[in-house]
Amino acid sequence: MVDIQTSPIGGIALVTGGTSGIGLSFARALAGRGCDLILVARNAERLSVTAQELHRDYGVAVDTITADLATEAGMEAVAERLEDDENPVQVLISNAGHGIHTPLTTAEIGEHTSAVELMVNSVLVLGGRAGRAMRRRASGVIVNVGSVAGLIPLGGYSAIKAWVNTYSEALALELAGTGVQVTTLVPGWVRTEFHDRAGIGTGSIPNALWLDSTRLVNDCLADVDKGKVESIPSKRFWLICFFLRRLPRPLVRAVAGKLMSKRGRG
């Protein structure tokens, strides 16, 4: 068991997408460790309610930033807070995101471009700004939420998460030895409202492949405590990642094709 007193996790933690799903589970787990919080999301009312609940339940300070990270203004508002050395953010959880159910060949690419802004550009901007600030202070933790989907070609979301997985690993290498730790969380299917919001059918996914977000986050933070660059929750998804990274690509594409054919079924 890792001694929380020696953990790099502490101080103020900023969580993007912190009012639901994996982000909310991170907020609760970090508050449980005594971290003060900054929650980032688009819905001001939901932010306020969540902040009040977390303060009531854990007794920590909870600030909020209402921002759409798919916009330059939203990114900048959060980036400026990450660079504040007088009241430093010690932990960044870069989690904000949503599913994509639009074909790559669509004539209306707005959903794809918005997703790239939210899950690529904002991750790049916030990771860079936080990384520089933390490097100046020689301490800090960045957790980027990637996905097992990034290892298999399942459309726009997979392409984006492939970028996040690779970017996060590269950022970890760039910041190695500076006192800043970067960990990539690579989850599989997690029981949240994520899929419903994206209109993605889940009826064909076996129950054994679903993960609990609380357990996933606790395991991730334990991996951060251990200094791991990558956190893959559960042995079953560790095995899935192991084989996806080693199987011949034609076989991986064949599996992806079968999964895509079932996507529209609930």
Side-chain angles (χ1 to χ4, degrees), residues 12-248:
I12 299 173
L14 186 149
V15 184
T16 69
T19 60
S20 64
I22 293 174
L24 180 56
S25 291
F26 264 115
R28 287 171 174 155
L30 291 164
R33 285 172 173 240
C35 290
D36 291 328
L37 300 172
I38 303 171
L39 304 181
V40 179
R42 292 181 300 173
N43 188 312
E45 182 179 356
R46 193 167 185 177
L47 272 171
S48 177
V49 170
T50 304
Q52 291 174 31
E53 290 176 350
L54 289 167
H55 174 68
R56 179 196 66 208
D57 293 345
Y58 298 96
V60 299
V62 186
D63 292 329
T64 64
I65 301 175
T66 304
D68 182 353
L69 292 176
T71 68
E72 185 175 346
M75 290 183 217
E76 185 60 27
V78 178
E80 286 182 1
R81 181 61 187 86
L82 289 168
E83 291 186 308
D84 183 356
D85 286 334
E86 293 185 4
N87 195 21
V89 172
Q90 177 72 9
V91 180
L92 167 63
I93 309 294
S94 202
N95 161 77
H98 59 71
I100 308 170
H101 199 41
T102 301
L104 294 171
T105 51
T106 181
E108 301 294 333
I109 65 168
E111 184 178 5
H112 288 294
T113 56
S114 177
V116 168
E117 290 294 331
L118 176 62
M119 294 184 281
V120 173
N121 289 348
S122 81
V123 173
L124 176 66
V125 169
L126 301 188
R129 302 279 279 272
R132 291 195 295 274
M134 292 175 179
R135 184 170 58 194
R136 286 196 302 270
R137 302 191 294 265
S139 68
V141 171
I142 298 172
V143 176
N144 295 308
V145 179
S147 177
V148 172
L151 305 180
I152 186 167
L154 289 172
Y157 183 78
S158 288
I160 284 171
K161 287 302 185 178
W163 183 90
V164 174
N165 292 347
T166 302
Y167 161 80
S168 188
E169 189 174 10
L171 185 64
L173 289 172
E174 185 170 319
L175 292 172
T178 68
V180 184
Q181 180 178 333
V182 181
T183 299
T184 312
L185 172 59
V186 187
W189 287 290
V190 184
R191 289 203 182 278
T192 68
E193 59 195 78
F194 175 91
H195 297 92
D196 291 337
R197 284 183 173 181
I200 298 173
T202 60
S204 62
I205 301 171
N207 286 332
L209 290 180
W210 287 102
L211 300 172
D212 174 73
S213 64
T214 299
R215 173 67 184 275
L216 172 138
V217 164
N218 287 335
D219 287 352
C220 177
L221 294 180
D223 286 338
V224 172
D225 288 333
K226 297 171 187 174
K228 291 188 176 182
V229 172
E230 183 178 67
S231 177
I232 302 174
S234 82
K235 291 181 179 179
R236 55 190 179 277
F237 274 106
W238 187 93
L239 286 171
I240 288 171
C241 289
F242 179 88
F243 286 113
L244 286 175
R245 286 167 168 161
R246 288 163 178 80
L247 289 172

